[in-house]
Amino acid sequence: MASSLESTPAPGTLSPGSGTGTESVEQFDAIVIGAGVAGLYQVYRLRELGLSVRGLEDGAGVGGTWYWNRYPGCRFDSESETYGYSWSKELLEEWNWKEHYSGQPENEKYLNFVADKFDLKKHYKFNSHVTSIVYDERANLWNVGTENGQHLRAQFVVAAVGILSARYLPPFEGLDTFKGESFHTSRWPAEKVDFTGKRVAVIGTGATAVQLIPIVAQQCKHLTVFQRTPNYCAPLRNGLVSEETQNRWKANYPELHKMIRQTPAAFPYDFDRRKVSDVDKEERIKIYEELWAQPGFKKWLGNFRDIMTDRAANEDFAEFIRNKIRQRVKDPKVAEMLVPKDHPFGSKRVPLETNYYETYNRDNVQLVSVRESPIERITPNGIKTSDREYEFDVIIYATGFDAITGPLTRIDIRGEGGAPLVDHWAKGPRTLLGLQTAGFPNLFIATNTAFCNYTVCAEAVVEWISEAIRYVRANNYSRIVPTPESEQAWVDHVNEVGSQTLLSGTKSWFVGDNIPGKAHAILLYANTAPAYRAKIAEVAAKGYEGFQLN
Ligand code: NA7
């Protein structure tokens, strides 16, 4: 049975730390976990500082998100020219993006191109699933263990583990009994999956499923989509990049990078300065239609400025989208099932789509609401809901991730006094600036947890961490760690900022509510990206205010 469900541990479980390999211990100045967007750049920067660096990567190659998520239709929802690294002029000159919203195969190629160009692969051990990171207080070193028995030590550890890398597989009863093929979208096989003549189920209708569903529907005999919560999906409007556009980007990258560093979420558009109520209904509809015709997230992040903070303003645009859905889906009953009513627009990540709604007009596609008839179990032949049993050849779990905290809490991380990170974070993540945690000296988190186009803020985070490590070494300190007071102040600030937006009141991975039993806490810093970058720069400029150096 082909399956992508066997290779990773079940949610919440820790892999065994013991291995079968060598007992010898390798020592480095720094260990970087992950070979994705942040990890590759982190290895590059630390090497530039003259540190000995070892990268550890779970996958067999570089790419992170763009290595694992190989499902049909997987692509950027960010504009390609904004997602690429900005730190190498030569790289910007050499790389050509093929599509405005580049697809996974090309994105994986890009990160391989970067890794080869800067000779980064030689620093990595691949197929190295990190299971433990334990602080040795006396030696001021971290012991890092992998599933295959590697044991390494380093003064600094940078966890560039991504925010959406710990897959979530709902603990459905009978999961292992299914006789057909089953896949989680984030552990998709490298070989092409052939759907010809097959009856396929997709569970989930988040950003991943919305990319996948229209493509699988065209290839399979019959597709059944199991939906719990309908989303406000908006047209991606992808296209090929012309030579002229490519050349224009190349000639203007400095200006583009400067511009996206000033917008709220580092995309090439800003919120309208006006509030919804500043403009009369007729004019508003005209503006909404114009936004709708634009590619990417502009309908979300280029909308009126109160759309994410004022429920009534939000409702005005939400109703506009609901009507778009109703216009696109022929069967009014199915259309109404696809119309979101229980949460504000944009309070969950907005899925961007190509022919998503039209897919439900196909004869071979059926939509099942698991709110009305919940999934009771997976059976040898398919899926049993409270209504009936459905038979399938393939089940696709597009059920998301234990976002942001999961990639760290699934590793056995222990800091000062042997204290487990999982306990310290029991009520939600506790960090200073998303970068470090009190009680875990010299352990850095190189993920972008700002509300920000991923690469843009990941670069800022990597640069901040690199400079902090340089500063520690140059000034003959041995450790940097947040004080408990400054960590508490940051947690309070993150909660305060989050509570002023519509994000905190909606069940989603932004607040941990997609995982049963996970603490409800705002996981992203919901301030603007420029405010985040200014804050981390200010802290560094003040000699790492709030951090203890000794
Ligand atoms: P998401 O956005 O978390 O979507 C997961 C989907 O799976 C969502 O529709 C969930 O419904 C559904 N789900 C989860 N558990 C169940 C159970 N038990 N039964 C039925 N349906 C379930 O993950 P994605 O991979 O789509 O996207 C993650 C991010 O990756 C995305 O935001 C982009 O940034 C890229 P729910 O909405 O929770 O009711």
Side-chain angles (χ1 to χ4, degrees):
M1 178 186 89
S3 169
S4 70
L5 302 182
E6 294 139 11
S7 55
T8 34
T13 64
L14 295 170
S15 306
S18 62
T20 52
T22 167
E23 290 307 308
S24 71
V25 179
E26 289 189 276
Q27 189 158 331
F28 299 88
D29 294 325
I31 292 167
V32 174
I33 304 167
V37 167
L40 288 175
Y41 185 36
Q42 188 68 71
V43 165
Y44 172 82
R45 289 298 291 237
L46 294 179
R47 187 183 66 188
E48 290 290 287
L49 288 176
L51 272 72
S52 62
V53 190
R54 166 55 51 85
L56 295 170
E57 164 58 50
D58 202 1
V62 304
T65 284
W66 305 108
Y67 172 88
W68 292 108
N69 290 268
R70 296 168 182 275
Y71 62 84
C74 178
R75 62 178 61 258
F76 291 160
D77 281 342
S78 299
E79 291 69 24
S80 302
E81 74 278 20
T82 69
Y83 195 97
Y85 291 121
S86 71
W87 46 270
S88 164
K89 194 164 176 288
E90 236 179 67
L91 176 63
L92 289 164
E93 278 296 321
E94 287 170 18
W95 183 260
N96 295 319
W97 292 107
K98 293 200 173 109
E99 292 176 278
H100 283 276
Y101 298 90
S102 181
Q104 179 274 332
E106 198 62 13
N107 307 341
E108 190 187 3
K109 222 161 112 187
Y110 170 71
L111 290 166
N112 272 280
F113 179 81
V114 174
D116 290 335
K117 179 174 171 59
F118 297 100
D119 202 12
L120 300 174
K121 288 179 185 169
K122 69 176 181 203
H123 299 288
Y124 274 93
K125 281 262 190 283
F126 293 97
N127 299 308
S128 297
H129 180 72
V130 172
T131 50
S132 62
I133 310 174
V134 178
Y135 186 52
D136 174 346
E137 248 169 292
R138 242 188 274 163
N140 186 35
L141 290 172
W142 287 93
N143 288 305
V144 176
T146 67
E147 200 169 34
N148 59 6
Q150 296 172 65
H151 182 188
L152 307 94
R153 277 160 83 82
Q155 184 182 359
F156 302 99
V157 173
V158 185
V161 288
I163 60 170
L164 295 160
S165 55
R167 68 163 194 172
Y168 173 63
L169 189 58
F172 292 123
E173 215 180 297
L175 205 74
D176 296 333
T177 64
F178 182 58
K179 287 190 297 197
E181 298 173 293
S182 37
F183 305 99
H184 190 279
T185 47
S186 78
R187 287 293 181 277
W188 201 265
E191 321 77 63
K192 194 175 181 322
V193 177
D194 185 5
F195 294 109
T196 318
K198 293 187 179 155
R199 300 158 303 169
V200 180
V202 173
I203 304 178
T205 51
T208 294
V210 164
Q211 290 185 333
L212 168 114
I213 285 167
I215 296 174
V216 174
Q218 284 172 31
Q219 298 173 1
C220 69
K221 183 174 166 205
H222 191 272
L223 174 66
T224 309
V225 177
F226 291 86
Q227 170 186 268
R228 192 164 63 185
T229 313
N231 271 307
Y232 297 93
C233 310
L236 173 66
R237 307 202 192 282
N238 191 19
L240 296 177
V241 176
S242 69
E243 204 182 323
E244 191 196 337
T245 301
Q246 187 71 68
N247 290 338
R248 199 180 62 242
W249 288 344
K250 286 189 182 177
N252 293 294
Y253 268 127
E255 290 77 16
L256 172 77
H257 292 140
K258 192 169 164 218
M259 186 261 275
I260 61 174
R261 273 169 182 66
Q262 288 163 1
T263 62
F267 289 93
Y269 24 83
D270 197 346
F271 285 104
D272 192 314
R273 299 282 149 209
R274 295 167 293 181
K275 294 199 280 188
V276 167
S277 56
D278 290 341
V279 178
D280 68 38
K281 183 86 190 167
E282 200 181 325
E283 177 67 8
R284 277 206 308 272
I285 296 295
K286 222 176 107 207
I287 292 169
Y288 291 158
E289 289 290 357
E290 281 163 15
L291 284 172
W292 199 248
Q294 300 277 326
F297 284 132
K298 191 156 185 195
K299 313 90 176 152
W300 185 18
L301 306 171
N303 212 310
F304 290 104
R305 73 176 159 91
D306 54 348
I307 201 104
M308 289 299 288
T309 52
D310 185 291
R311 189 71 204 242
N314 185 286
E315 180 57 23
D316 196 60
F317 188 66
E319 191 54 24
F320 173 84
I321 299 206
R322 290 184 194 121
N323 288 331
K324 286 284 179 206
I325 299 170
R326 290 177 182 122
Q327 284 160 20
R328 289 171 66 184
V329 180
K330 284 188 189 142
D331 181 335
K333 253 169 80 186
V334 176
E336 232 32 58
M337 283 167 78
L338 288 162
V339 166
K341 292 170 189 135
D342 67 348
H343 63 279
F345 164 74
S347 64
K348 295 176 84 163
R349 161 56 154 86
V350 175
L352 294 180
E353 50 84 26
T354 305
N355 293 328
Y356 176 64
Y357 290 112
E358 287 73 14
T359 299
Y360 293 96
N361 297 333
R362 297 175 64 100
D363 290 338
N364 69 335
V365 175
Q366 181 187 5
L367 181 64
V368 174
S369 166
V370 304
R371 282 225 195 278
E372 279 165 32
S373 38
I375 295 173
E376 286 181 346
R377 58 177 294 122
I378 308 296
T379 67
N381 295 322
I383 296 175
K384 165 88 177 65
T385 68
S386 58
D387 248 15
R388 53 168 277 207
E389 183 175 356
Y390 297 81
E391 291 196 356
F392 298 111
D393 303 302
V394 182
I395 300 178
I396 299 173
Y397 295 88
T399 43
F401 301 89
D402 183 351
I404 301 184
T405 53
L408 291 163
T409 55
R410 288 184 188 189
I411 301 173
D412 182 11
I413 303 180
R414 290 165 196 266
E416 287 170 329
L421 182 81
V422 77
D423 290 353
H424 191 55
W425 283 14
K427 291 185 183 151
R430 299 184 59 78
T431 71
L432 177 52
L433 306 168
L435 297 165
Q436 268 205 304
T437 292
F440 297 79
N442 296 342
L443 173 64
F444 295 91
I445 306 165
T447 56
N448 166 9
T449 50
F451 196 81
C452 176
N453 200 347
Y454 200 80
T455 310
V456 180
C457 288
E459 282 186 359
V461 161
V462 165
E463 285 159 12
W464 191 97
I465 292 169
S466 310
E467 178 52 24
I469 291 176
R470 191 204 62 77
Y471 184 88
V472 167
R473 286 161 57 96
N475 292 285
N476 289 320
Y477 294 119
S478 60
R479 309 181 346 146
I480 178 168
V481 68
T483 64
E485 300 74 33
S486 59
E487 181 182 88
Q488 185 59 51
W490 178 253
V491 171
D492 293 343
H493 173 62
V494 170
N495 289 335
E496 167 70 17
V497 172
S499 70
Q500 289 162 12
T501 71
L502 297 174
L503 300 178
S504 56
T506 298
K507 283 177 181 272
S508 78
W509 65 258
F510 288 157
V511 290
D513 287 348
N514 63 325
I515 306 294
K518 185 168 175 174
H520 173 90
I522 180 105
L523 304 176
L524 287 170
Y525 181 49
N527 209 336
T528 66
Y532 175 68
R533 285 197 312 276
K535 186 74 197 161
I536 62 174
E538 182 197 327
V539 165
K542 288 185 177 165
Y544 297 92
E545 190 181 46
F547 290 85
Q548 199 182 19
L549 288 137
N550 50 29

